[in-house]
Amino acid sequence: MRIHVKHATIYTYDPPANGAIQTLRLTPRNHDGQYVVSWRIDVSESCRLRAHEDAFGNLTHTFAVEGPISELRVIVEGEVETQDTSGVVRGVKERFPASLYMRETDLTVADPALRAFAEQAAAGIEDRIAKLHALMEAIGAHMTFDPEPTQATTTAKEAFALKRGVCQDYAHIFIAGARHIGIPARYASGYIVTDGAAQSQTQGLIQLQGASAQAGHGWAEAYVEGLGWVGFDPANLQCPTEAYVRLAVGLDYLGAAPVRGNRYGGGEENLSVALTVDQSSRQIQG
């Protein structure tokens, strides 16, 4: 599948901000099943985008702009050719051993209720892949997709108690549960082509208001000996297919967030996001 992505993030400040610093994990990398045909990042303000790899090997861009800034726009557009690998991630240079991803974070701590839930989901199952699928199915049955009650700082145990959340919350619950039963797991951010049924924050064109607004999709990856890293999307009860574009990974959402930054000075900040992810009309002919 050839996937076209256009992702615009627009900040407005009233009164104008004195400056801003942004870190972008908005550039996919080539690996088995994913080839970047074209990709570009445009920033409305005059600045230098500095490219580097972060600690997890994600391709990252940073920039700083001086004010006064009334509006700041970050626009990403590109095309990616994908193939279905049944969720298996290969061809990626790993910076750390899988054991690092057993490390808990504030967003992925499992409380007694979540630990018992994970143990019950995996009870009596020896095969690691089967355990992970059982955990994913259990989370799907436990949770209801609802964008209202949670935000970027909601923890796995909070979303689990609410029984509601978005793809990020489902992924954090999966990660916390997998780690508790002894399986390294991490967060993956990216995009997904939806057919109207997929549960994601990227359904067609989205306009979001408010400083905590975000757009994109998130899922989990777990380490399976003999296979390597395998993706699991508990919000959609499936392993990633050719409809997914993988951007970045981290211990949790904050480590793989597509956009993070700070502004200084100024007054109220408002954020709007416009995102389209669809199958490109320019398919490779074979």
Side-chain angles (χ1 to χ4, degrees), residues 113-138:
L114 208 167
R115 291 197 294 268
F117 174 85
E119 290 170 6
Q120 183 177 0
I125 304 173
E126 295 298 326
D127 180 73
R128 181 169 283 197
I129 278 282
K131 281 185 180 182
L132 293 165
H133 277 284
L135 177 62
M136 179 170 67
E137 294 285 344

Side-chain angles (χ1 to χ4, degrees), residues 55-56 95-104 179 184-185 229 251:
F56 297 101
R95 294 287 189 88
F96 302 108
S99 58
L100 174 83
Y101 297 96
M102 290 293 294
R103 182 181 300 175
E104 285 188 337
R179 289 174 182 165
W229 289 99
L251 290 170

Side-chain angles (χ1 to χ4, degrees), residues 191-265:
Y191 303 108
I192 181 175
V193 176
T194 66
D195 59 5
Q199 301 190 102
S200 171
Q201 290 159 285
T202 59
Q203 299 195 15
L205 175 64
I206 305 173
Q207 294 289 349
L208 303 172
Q209 297 293 332
S212 64
Q214 56 180 309
H217 192 51
W219 58 95
E221 293 177 355
Y223 188 77
V224 179
E225 292 178 3
L227 281 178
W229 289 99
V230 182
F232 291 86
D233 183 359
N236 291 305
L237 294 177
Q238 64 185 14
C239 292
T241 67
E242 72 276 7
Y244 288 65
V245 175
R246 183 177 180 271
L247 284 177
V249 297
L251 290 170
D252 57 23
Y253 166 76
L254 294 179
V259 181
R260 292 189 69 184
N262 291 294
R263 52 97 181 189
Y264 47 96

Side-chain angles (χ1 to χ4, degrees), residues 139 143-147 150 159 164-175 187-190 192 198-202 214-220 232-236 244 253:
I139 293 169
M143 297 289 290
T144 298
F145 192 88
D146 184 351
T150 62
R164 294 182 175 273
V166 294
C167 56
Q168 172 186 308
D169 304 303
Y170 283 67
H172 281 157
I173 293 169
F174 182 95
I175 292 165
Y187 190 94
S189 65
I192 181 175
Q199 301 190 102
S200 171
Q201 290 159 285
T202 59
Q214 56 180 309
H217 192 51
W219 58 95
F232 291 86
D233 183 359
N236 291 305
Y244 288 65
Y253 166 76

Side-chain angles (χ1 to χ4, degrees), residues 2-286:
R2 181 174 283 200
I3 299 172
H4 176 258
V5 176
K6 186 170 184 180
H7 184 179
T9 306
I10 303 165
Y11 300 86
T12 57
Y13 307 99
D14 186 19
N18 295 331
I21 300 173
Q22 293 279 339
T23 298
L24 312 176
R25 294 180 184 86
L26 285 168
T27 304
R29 307 201 75 156
N30 295 329
H31 55 77
D32 291 4
Q34 177 168 293
Y35 171 71
V36 182
V37 179
S38 64
W39 201 266
R40 66 185 178 88
I41 300 175
D42 290 327
V43 179
S44 60
E45 297 293 316
S46 177
C47 64
R48 180 179 177 184
L49 278 175
R50 299 180 180 273
H52 65 281
E53 292 184 355
D54 68 11
F56 297 101
N58 303 312
L59 187 53
T60 305
H61 293 84
T62 58
F63 68 88
V65 294
E66 298 294 329
I69 308 167
S70 298
E71 180 180 275
L72 176 62
R73 298 188 305 277
V74 178
I75 304 198
V76 174
E77 187 167 13
E79 290 193 348
V80 180
E81 185 76 22
T82 62
Q83 294 178 340
D84 192 353
T85 62
S86 300
V88 179
V89 180
R90 291 199 177 103
V92 176
K93 184 178 180 180
E94 296 290 345
R95 294 287 189 88
F96 302 108
S99 58
L100 174 83
Y101 297 96
M102 290 293 294
R103 182 181 300 175
E104 285 188 337
T105 67
D106 290 343
L107 292 177
T108 59
V109 172
D111 64 2
L114 208 167
R115 291 197 294 268
F117 174 85
E119 290 170 6
Q120 183 177 0
I125 304 173
E126 295 298 326
D127 180 73
R128 181 169 283 197
I129 278 282
K131 281 185 180 182
L132 293 165
H133 277 284
L135 177 62
M136 179 170 67
E137 294 285 344
I139 293 169
H142 177 82
M143 297 289 290
T144 298
F145 192 88
D146 184 351
E148 293 299 325
T150 62
Q151 54 189 344
T153 56
T154 300
T155 66
K157 60 185 180 182
E158 290 170 342
F160 181 79
L162 289 170
K163 297 185 179 182
R164 294 182 175 273
V166 294
C167 56
Q168 172 186 308
D169 304 303
Y170 283 67
H172 281 157
I173 293 169
F174 182 95
I175 292 165
R179 289 174 182 165
H180 176 65
I181 60 175
I183 301 175
R186 63 190 183 190
Y187 190 94
S189 65
Y191 303 108
I192 181 175
V193 176
T194 66
D195 59 5
Q199 301 190 102
S200 171
Q201 290 159 285
T202 59
Q203 299 195 15
L205 175 64
I206 305 173
Q207 294 289 349
L208 303 172
Q209 297 293 332
S212 64
Q214 56 180 309
H217 192 51
W219 58 95
E221 293 177 355
Y223 188 77
V224 179
E225 292 178 3
L227 281 178
W229 289 99
V230 182
F232 291 86
D233 183 359
N236 291 305
L237 294 177
Q238 64 185 14
C239 292
T241 67
E242 72 276 7
Y244 288 65
V245 175
R246 183 177 180 271
L247 284 177
V249 297
L251 290 170
D252 57 23
Y253 166 76
L254 294 179
V259 181
R260 292 189 69 184
N262 291 294
R263 52 97 181 189
Y264 47 96
E268 182 179 356
E269 176 185 273
N270 287 294
L271 170 65
S272 61
V273 177
L275 175 62
T276 56
V277 183
D278 52 31
Q279 191 167 355
S280 173
S281 60
R282 298 188 293 274
Q283 297 296 312
I284 290 178
Q285 300 298 316

